[in-house]
Amino acid sequence: MQETAGTIQADFNPKILGFFCHWCCYAGADAAGVSRFQYPPNIRVIRIMCTGRMDASFILDSFLQGVDGILVGG
């Protein structure tokens, strides 16, 4: 919930972008999908080969494009 000037907005759905390492975190996300676990529809996952090689401009560009939060999993 987001509070703005004394009112609570319960309909706030943040856009979250996840950068997941191919070898670590993405395998877990894939296993969750195969096991039919549900996760929020407002998260989008981008598979990258290694989070150690991730450029900081990916994060900055994502915020400029309107993403509310970033998750980097490695």
Side-chain angles (χ1 to χ4, degrees):
M1 288 187 215
Q2 181 179 359
E3 189 170 330
T4 307
T7 62
I8 297 177
Q9 296 176 346
D11 59 343
F12 177 65
N13 290 321
K15 292 186 240 176
I16 301 171
L17 183 62
F19 292 100
F20 289 178
C21 173
H22 172 75
W23 304 107
C24 303
C25 201
Y26 188 79
D30 189 44
V34 170
S35 300
R36 300 181 188 265
F37 286 116
Q38 297 289 322
Y39 59 89
N42 58 338
I43 185 168
R44 299 289 183 235
V45 174
I46 296 176
R47 180 179 61 174
I48 58 178
M49 289 310 291
C50 181
T51 53
R53 297 286 308 230
M54 190 173 126
D55 194 336
S57 68
F58 295 168
I59 295 172
L60 297 174
D61 288 342
S62 299
F63 283 127
L64 289 173
Q65 294 295 321
V67 173
D68 296 312
I70 302 286
L71 170 67
V72 179

